[in-house]
Amino acid sequence: VQDVTGIGVFNQKKEPLLVLWKTDQIRSGKQFPKSFFNRGYEVLKKDLLNQRKKLGHLELYYSNSFLIEMMALKKNNFNQRVDQQSQQIATKLNQVKFYTIIGIILIVLLLTASIFISLKFFVTKPLAKGINFSRSVARGNLRANIIIEKIFEDETSVLNHSLNEMV
């Protein structure tokens, strides 16, 4: 790996088992040379496990420039994922808004239709019966009467009943 400048494998007692480092070529030994640490490396330490039992650990030495590049790459990937997820959430919210608006429109239409049907059944129809009755009486038919459907005791029922009693 180009930017990994050193790898160390250590046992549980932190004794080196294998050490690799790179200068102009890859070298190996039982420990890093003292000059290796003068260059300012970042170290990533990772435990080596076998069935949850710690066997030792691995140390990877990176150059600072490599870590900076990797952090920038991770940040860009993270930002791209956040943008994608934000777009997905916005799309879902727009769908929810659309279906909510459609649902509200349907509810309003149903309520409007039920109001009109109620008005026709409870107001317009009984008033039409009363108007027809009064026209029949005006023409001289004193035997006319209104068939009153007593569902509710409302104003139109009372009016029609009064018209029946008048004749």
Side-chain angles (χ1 to χ4, degrees), residues 43-124:
V43 181
L44 172 69
K45 295 182 180 181
K46 185 70 177 165
D47 288 336
L48 298 172
L49 303 174
N50 184 11
Q51 296 178 354
R52 297 186 183 188
K53 181 181 176 187
K54 184 177 176 181
L55 300 176
H57 71 276
L58 172 74
E59 293 180 3
L60 297 175
Y61 292 82
Y62 293 96
S63 65
N64 288 333
S65 63
F66 175 73
L67 286 178
I68 291 169
E69 288 174 29
M70 291 305 292
M71 295 286 281
L73 183 64
K74 288 281 186 186
K75 183 178 177 185
N76 287 340
N77 287 342
F78 177 76
N79 289 339
Q80 287 174 351
R81 280 187 285 160
V82 167
D83 289 343
Q84 288 172 347
Q85 289 176 350
S86 297
Q87 288 174 352
Q88 289 173 347
I89 290 170
T91 301
K92 297 250 185 221
L93 283 175
N94 286 335
Q95 289 174 346
V96 168
K97 286 179 189 176
F98 174 75
Y99 290 123
T100 301
I101 290 170
I102 294 296
I104 289 171
I105 289 171
L106 288 175
I107 289 171
V108 167
L109 287 174
L110 287 172
L111 287 174
T112 304
S114 65
I115 288 170
F116 281 121
I117 290 170
S118 297
L119 282 174
K120 182 175 181 177
F121 185 74
F122 294 111
V123 177
T124 308

Side-chain angles (χ1 to χ4, degrees), residues 104-161:
I104 289 171
I105 289 171
L106 288 175
I107 289 171
V108 167
L109 287 174
L110 287 172
L111 287 174
T112 304
S114 65
I115 288 170
F116 281 121
I117 290 170
S118 297
L119 282 174
K120 182 175 181 177
F121 185 74
F122 294 111
V123 177
T124 308
K125 194 174 180 182
L127 284 177
K129 285 181 179 181
I131 291 169
N132 290 336
F133 172 79
S134 62
R135 284 184 182 157
S136 179
V137 170
R139 286 188 214 119
N141 182 4
L142 297 178
R143 293 182 186 227
N145 69 6
I146 303 172
I147 299 172
I148 300 171
E149 299 168 8
K150 285 203 172 192
I151 297 174
F152 296 107
E153 192 67 30
D154 59 353
E155 290 82 8
T156 56
S157 296
V158 171
L159 176 66
N160 286 341
H161 186 69

